[in-house]
Each structure stands twice: as structure tokens, then as C-alpha cells.
């Protein structure tokens, strides 16, 4: 069978593509290349350039490649940007998903995996976030992901489609230097960027109710994210009635101060004391996943630790910024 991967030339998408290919799956990628790069794709993987809002393009791709499963990763994903441009985020993330699902139903695709996010939870006041933790997203981005989950589940129920929505926590790392995250939006590349410029790393608030006063997060290696998609694809192939919503995390919290220290050590930029600035609005003190459900349902467990994430991310950063 062939899996269509939307957004498959992007940072996370390209890792998922490579993992599925390594698992022996046939893959076709649909990507508008707004943030993707064709060079990330393995040799021989077909790339269809275009937007997921283009129904005719989707219909042709599903038919020509005999697609029987979809992994939908294509989406806009910057929280602050979503606050500034909510209409655009709802169009790209919700209407884009609706268009893909409509095409999938017409083509009788029976398996659908959605890229979701821990942003659906908002600011949960719990030690470990389970899939039953109430969802109260705090940004249009998180809202679009939660709405997307509802839509996927409803379509699966109505049309006999096996589905899985995978809620990513804080993604970092790279399978190879050339696959590193090109953006500077998450903590690890943000600290790399400041250190490489000779600037002080920033920590947004050190007065949270945590052991060292800084926020605690669950960091997950992008290769673990990719292997979770392979496990989900296998499950949906075997179980035509699956309707899963699962966290992807390690179940271990690391504070921002700890993470900055690890980044400095691995990058060789030690001796620079981070600068503490004001809290960012909406940052919860602690967001750590419970990974019990994905272990039960998919037999999956994260294998990479934080130091491996940072080391692989640093190798990618050095490749893109040799200066």
C-alpha cells in the first residue's frame, strides 16, 4: 500500500517519510515547500508540489499513486503567529484538513494519521498530562489542532476509517545533520542562535513553582516522533476500527534552566550565564506527557534522551551555520 504524507518535505515530515520508507512502505509526498525542502526526501520518493487546499491535486495524487493511507502533517504551527493571523491558521489547518479528509473519503482511503500537538491542553495543572486531561487550548494554533482531532474522529466514525491523532510534545533533534530543524522558534535552536552570535541565552521567568523556578517541559527526539508514526501506521493497517488519540512524549520533565545548561555544554559555549527576563504570557509551569497509553496501544516507547537530542540538533545547526 502507499501512504500519502502531507508536509513530508518539512522538518518532522521528512523524518516520518524516512522512517516509513525504512519500514518498507511506499510513500508519496504532497508539500507546498513553503517550509519544506525537496533535498530532505530519500531518493525515489515522489514529490507532488502543491497545497492541501487544492482538491483537484489531492484527487489526482490519491488516484495515480493508489493511496490507501494518509499521514497529515502539513500545517502552520507558530503560536504567536496564530494569535496575529487566526483566519489564516483556521484556513490552512482546519480547512486544509477538511479538504484532505473529503478527498480521502471520496477515494475510499481507510487509514488516517493526524499530526496534533500538546498545545490542545493549554495550561494543565497536573503532574502528568494524560489523554483524558481536559483540553483548553490557549491559542488559535491549539484550537485548530483540537478541532482537527474532532473532525478526524467524526469522519472516521462516519465512514469506517481507522484513525490516530498523535499529540506531539516538545520536538528536538535530527536523524542526520542535513535533517535538522531550520526554524528558530523552539528552545533548542533559539539558544543555539544566541550562543552562536555571542549573545546571552534567555530564560523567560525563573519564579515558577518548580524546583529551579523555570518551566518544565517534556522533550522528545524527532526520530522517536517518526517511529511513533510507523507504529500508528501498522496499527491502523491491522485494526480497521481504531480511533486513537495519543500523546507522544518521554514522560520525563526537564526544566528550561537544565536544558540551557545541556545546550551550552554540548555546544561548547559554557561560562555564559543565562539572562532571566519576564515570563511570556501563557507559559504553563509544567507540561509533561504521560506516555502510558501509546505504550499500551502501539507498543511504542521513546528511546532517545535529552543529550542525544541536543547533540544531534547541534550537528545540524553547525552544518547550516558553518560560520
Amino acid at each position: 500500500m502507499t501512504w500519502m504524507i502531507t508536509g513530508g518535505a518539512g522538518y518532522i515530515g521528512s523524518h516520518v517519510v524516512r522512517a516509513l520508507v525504512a519500514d518498507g512502505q511506499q510513500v508519496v509526498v504532497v508539500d507546498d515547500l513553503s517550509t519544506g525542502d525537496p533535498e530532505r526526501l530519500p531518493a525515489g520518493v515522489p514529490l507532488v508540489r502543491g497545497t492541501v487546499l487544492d482538491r483537484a491535486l489531492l484527487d489526482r495524487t490519491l488516484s495515480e499513486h493508489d493511496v490507501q493511507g494518509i499521514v497529515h502533517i502539513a500545517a502552520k504551527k507558530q503560536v504567536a503567529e496564530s494569535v496575529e493571523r487566526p483566519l489564516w491558521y483556521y484556513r490552512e489547518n482546519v480547512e486544509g484538513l477538511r479538504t484532505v479528509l473529503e478527498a480521502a473519503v471520496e477515494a475510499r482511503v481507510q487509514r488516517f494519521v493526524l499530526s496534533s500537538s500538546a498545545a490542545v491542553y493549554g495550561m494543565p495543572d497536573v503532574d502528568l498530562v494524560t489523554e483524558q486531561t481536559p483540553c483548553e487550548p490557549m491559542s488559535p494554533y491549539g484550537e485548530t489542532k483540537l478541532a482537527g482531532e474532532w473532525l478526524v474522529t467524526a469522519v472516521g466514525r462516519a465512514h469506517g476509517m481507522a484513525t490516530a491523532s498523535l499529540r506531539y510534545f516538545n520536538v528536538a533533534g535530527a536523524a542526520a545533520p542535513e535533517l535538522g530543524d531550520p526554524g528558530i522558534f523552539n528552545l533548542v535552536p533559539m539558544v543555539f542562535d544566541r550562543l552562536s552570535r555571542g549573545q546571552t541565552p534567555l530564560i523567560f521567568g525563573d519564579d515558577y513553582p518548580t524546583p529551579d523556578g523555570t518551566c518544565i517541559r517534556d522533550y522528545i527526539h524527532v526520530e522517536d516522533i517518526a517511529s511513533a508514526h510507523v507504529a500508528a501506521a501498522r496499527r491502523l493497517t491491522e485494526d480497521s476500527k481504531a480511533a486513537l488519540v495519543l500523546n507522544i512524549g518521554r514522560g520525563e520533565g526537564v526544566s528550561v534552566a537544565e536544558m540551557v545548561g545541556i545546550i551550552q555544554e554540548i555546544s561548547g559555549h559554557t561560562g555564559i550565564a543565562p539572562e532571566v527576563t519576564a515570563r511570556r504570557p501563557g507559559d504553563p509551569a509544567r507540561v509533561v506527557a504521560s506516555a502510558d497509553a501509546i505504550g499500551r496501544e502501539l507498543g511504542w516507547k521513546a528511546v532517545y534522551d535529552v543529550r542525544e537530542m541536543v547533540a544531534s540538533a547541534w550537528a545540524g545547526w553547525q552544518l547550516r551555520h558553518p560560520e
Side-chain angles (χ1 to χ4, degrees):
M1 65 175 290
T2 298
W3 288 86
M4 182 176 80
I5 317 298
T6 68
Y11 166 52
I12 293 175
S14 60
H15 282 87
V16 173
V17 167
R18 289 182 177 230
L20 284 168
V21 169
D23 192 54
Q25 305 289 340
Q26 296 293 318
V27 171
V28 58
V29 169
V30 173
D31 200 306
D32 65 6
L33 302 183
S34 58
T35 57
D37 182 352
E39 296 298 318
R40 291 176 170 269
L41 297 177
V45 170
L47 169 64
V48 178
R49 181 170 184 176
T51 172
V52 294
L53 291 161
D54 186 339
R55 174 64 191 277
L57 176 141
L58 295 173
D59 289 342
R60 288 195 305 272
T61 303
L62 293 172
S63 174
E64 291 174 4
H65 294 272
D66 190 25
V67 171
Q68 299 171 47
I70 296 173
V71 179
H72 183 60
I73 301 174
K76 303 305 176 186
K77 62 176 186 176
Q78 302 306 322
V79 170
E81 183 180 56
S82 77
V83 174
E84 297 170 358
R85 304 183 65 185
L87 288 170
W88 186 50
Y89 265 66
Y90 269 83
R91 184 182 65 131
E92 293 290 319
N93 292 3
V94 179
E95 177 60 14
L97 171 60
R98 190 202 64 79
T99 305
V100 173
L101 283 167
E102 188 176 62
V105 169
E106 183 70 21
R108 298 184 179 178
V109 173
Q110 294 298 301
R111 303 162 187 88
F112 198 97
V113 180
L114 174 68
S115 164
S116 189
S117 168
V120 300
Y121 293 115
M123 294 180 66
D125 185 19
V126 294
D127 286 338
L128 288 177
V129 178
T130 74
E131 290 78 1
Q132 285 70 49
T133 299
C135 291
E136 299 177 357
M138 299 182 62
S139 68
Y141 166 68
E143 293 166 3
T144 65
K145 285 301 182 180
L146 184 57
E149 291 183 9
W150 293 341
L151 181 56
V152 166
T153 299
V155 170
R157 184 185 305 117
H159 297 280
M161 182 186 295
T163 64
S165 295
L166 304 179
R167 294 171 173 170
Y168 310 167
F169 278 64
N170 297 68
V171 186
E178 63 272 18
L179 297 180
D181 186 354
I184 309 177
F185 304 106
N186 300 318
L187 175 65
V188 175
M190 286 174 63
V191 176
F192 285 161
D193 182 55
R194 291 190 66 84
L195 291 173
S196 297
R197 297 172 184 272
Q199 298 174 339
T200 302
L202 298 179
I203 292 179
F204 298 98
D206 65 351
D207 56 350
Y208 288 91
T210 61
D212 65 15
T214 66
C215 294
I216 294 176
R217 297 291 182 264
D218 190 337
Y219 296 92
I220 179 77
H221 198 298
V222 68
E223 284 200 83
D224 284 325
I225 291 281
S227 70
H229 284 76
V230 172
R234 289 177 179 172
R235 171 65 181 275
L236 300 192
T237 301
E238 298 165 356
D239 182 1
S240 63
K241 298 185 183 300
L244 305 173
V245 178
L246 299 169
N247 293 335
I248 309 182
R250 292 189 309 122
E252 298 178 13
V254 180
S255 77
V256 170
E258 290 172 328
M259 195 66 164
V260 170
I262 293 170
I263 293 169
Q264 289 182 291
E265 179 186 344
I266 288 175
S267 66
H269 291 78
T270 56
I272 304 175
E275 177 185 348
V276 177
T277 65
R279 291 186 182 190
R280 293 182 301 189
D283 270 352
R286 175 186 170 91
V287 183
V288 178
S290 166
D292 292 344
I294 194 170
R296 290 193 307 269
E297 294 288 349
L298 304 184
W300 175 92
K301 184 177 181 180
V303 298
Y304 294 95
D305 64 23
V306 172
R307 297 186 68 84
E308 290 170 309
M309 286 180 229
V310 173
S312 64
W314 177 240
W317 179 273
Q318 289 178 299
L319 180 66
R320 292 188 305 279
H321 303 88
E323 70 282 3

